[in-house]
Amino acid sequence: MKQQARQRPTLESLADGVLNGDRILLAQAITLIESHRPDDEATAIALLEKVMPHTGNSLRIGITGTPGVGKSTFIESLGQFILKNNKKVAVLSIDPTSPVGGGSILGDKTRMETLSKNRNAFIRPTASLDSLGGVAQRTRESMLLAEAAGYDFIIIETVGVGQSEYSVKEMVDFFLLLMLPGSGDDLQGMKKGIVELADAIAITKADGDNVNRARQAQAMYAQAIHTVYTGATNTPPVILTSAVSGVGIEEVWTAISDAVARTKLSGAFDQQRNRQYVAWLNDQFAALLKSDVWQYDQVRTAQSLLESEVTSKTKSPRKAANELLAAYHRQIKGS
């Protein structure tokens, strides 16, 4: 006998479940908004509209770092510290995508075993797919759902540091960069742009034989920040941490709390949130516009012809791009 497919929850039950803090329905809601099925689009939008008035009350923290820096271990320690203060924490962990199956390779939920067992914690690993910026395409919307579910702190763990990593700054209130203790090569490899974006730097694994190297790294990074922020009154702190011993975790939390308090007092907190929502709108529109362009056969045909002309050097890419745009305009005017 063929087993019946499990019935999907209704829009109303999903919305109610999210607002009541049901972790199972929250996970199903995130699955819905991550869906690429055209028939899920309207339901996903309706769900976000229902929960939107209940969002915006959480503190959003972005955490990034080079591979092997111990992001998940650090986040588990920070998460447990937060939970001791009777708060709720959600971790949206962005994993690299498997080139074979398209799924998440690392599975951070299995690497935060203690945190995942706490009823006041929610961990969601998500495959990055082909998304740039170190975050998955729907991370912002997953964040809103977690906020509506009553989580006080949303931690976004990105894939890793790179040229496309910067977009996480456009969705969080505090951006923390994790670095390993080591030689001056680490400093040379650290992108200046990342230093300018970071609200704090944490040197991880500052324990055992690593302590002296960690202190040396702390001094080097502090000097780098001093160079970038010459004359500034508030510069990002460089903190020694150990997820094993717990050293520096409270200090990181104090840095986060102090920075957020300053920005709220000055009004910069709300201004940044507003800029982020506008950037989100523009990103979404650009993605929809790109999708709309390629749905027309005539545009795809024109693209193929223009690609041949560009590769044969009979037409410049700039002129070809203008002609492709004109083809799209003709198509939408005639539809």
Side-chain angles (χ1 to χ4, degrees):
M1 184 175 176
K2 200 171 186 179
Q3 189 177 8
Q4 284 188 335
R6 186 169 61 180
Q7 188 174 8
R8 300 180 67 179
T10 63
L11 170 62
E12 288 71 22
S13 63
L14 276 177
D16 290 342
V18 168
L19 296 176
N20 288 322
D22 187 309
R23 291 195 296 178
I24 294 176
L25 286 172
L26 172 58
Q28 291 177 329
I30 292 176
T31 298
L32 171 68
I33 61 102
E34 288 179 343
S35 173
H36 293 281
R37 291 172 48 180
D39 54 331
D40 284 335
E41 178 70 9
T43 308
I45 291 174
L47 174 62
L48 289 168
E49 291 301 298
K50 282 181 175 292
V51 305
M52 196 70 189
H54 305 276
T55 66
N57 298 315
S58 306
L59 182 62
R60 305 163 181 175
I61 304 167
I63 297 181
T64 192
T66 53
V69 76
K71 290 191 292 291
S72 297
T73 307
F74 175 87
I75 289 170
E76 180 159 53
S77 294
L78 180 62
Q80 291 182 57
F81 181 86
I82 293 172
L83 292 173
K84 289 178 182 177
N85 295 303
N86 297 317
K87 299 294 184 179
K88 297 177 67 178
V89 59
V91 180
L92 304 178
S93 176
I94 315 304
D95 271 353
T97 302
S98 167
V100 179
S104 175
I105 292 176
L106 300 178
D108 280 278
K109 194 167 185 177
T110 62
R111 293 183 282 143
M112 302 181 200
E113 187 175 356
T114 303
L115 190 62
S116 64
K117 291 177 180 177
N118 193 298
R119 58 191 298 271
N120 288 324
F122 175 80
I123 300 174
R124 175 72 179 209
T126 303
S128 60
L129 300 176
D130 57 353
S131 179
L132 296 178
V135 291
Q137 291 180 4
R138 299 300 182 187
T139 301
R140 289 185 178 102
E141 294 173 355
S142 299
M143 179 179 68
L144 292 181
L145 290 173
E147 287 185 345
Y151 288 91
D152 303 290
F153 300 94
I154 314 295
I155 297 176
I156 299 175
E157 177 192 1
T158 69
V159 173
V161 175
Q163 289 285 12
S164 62
E165 194 72 6
Y166 303 159
S167 66
V168 69
K169 177 69 174 180
E170 288 303 311
M171 65 177 73
V172 297
D173 307 309
F174 191 93
F175 185 53
L176 179 64
L177 173 63
L178 305 184
M179 297 297 291
L180 281 168
S183 66
D185 293 339
D186 293 334
L187 185 60
Q188 296 300 322
M190 187 168 58
K191 301 286 191 297
K192 181 182 176 183
I194 284 286
V195 178
E196 291 173 338
L197 291 176
D199 296 302
I201 295 177
I203 310 297
T204 62
K205 304 182 181 181
D207 47 45
D209 296 337
N210 270 336
V211 172
N212 288 335
R213 284 193 294 271
R215 287 172 180 162
Q216 291 171 1
Q218 182 184 35
M220 287 189 295
Y221 295 137
Q223 181 59 42
I225 286 175
H226 177 73
T227 302
V228 172
Y229 289 90
T230 302
T233 53
N234 289 310
T235 58
V238 183
I239 304 166
L240 297 182
T241 67
S242 168
V244 176
S245 66
V247 168
I249 301 301
E250 184 173 359
E251 193 176 348
V252 167
W253 183 247
T254 299
I256 295 172
S257 302
D258 289 350
V260 171
R262 283 196 305 271
T263 57
K264 284 187 174 181
L265 187 63
S266 67
F269 185 91
D270 290 333
Q271 291 173 6
Q272 177 171 279
R273 281 274 180 105
N274 290 338
R275 285 196 303 269
Q276 290 173 351
Y277 280 121
V278 171
W280 186 355
L281 163 65
N282 292 332
D283 287 348
Q284 289 289 293
F285 178 69
L288 289 172
L289 188 61
K290 183 178 179 180
S291 176
D292 184 66
V293 166
W294 302 121
Q295 71 171 309
Y296 297 107
D297 292 337
Q298 292 88 337
V299 176
R300 291 197 298 271
T301 300
Q303 180 200 25
S304 179
L305 176 62
L306 288 167
E307 285 178 350
S308 299
E309 293 178 321
V310 166
T311 55
S312 65
K313 299 181 181 179
T314 58
K315 187 168 291 182
S316 71
R318 183 170 180 173
K319 180 174 175 58
N322 277 275
E323 290 185 8
L324 189 58
L325 180 63
Y328 172 64
H329 283 166
R330 288 194 299 271
Q331 185 61 45
I332 60 176
K333 286 176 182 178
S335 60

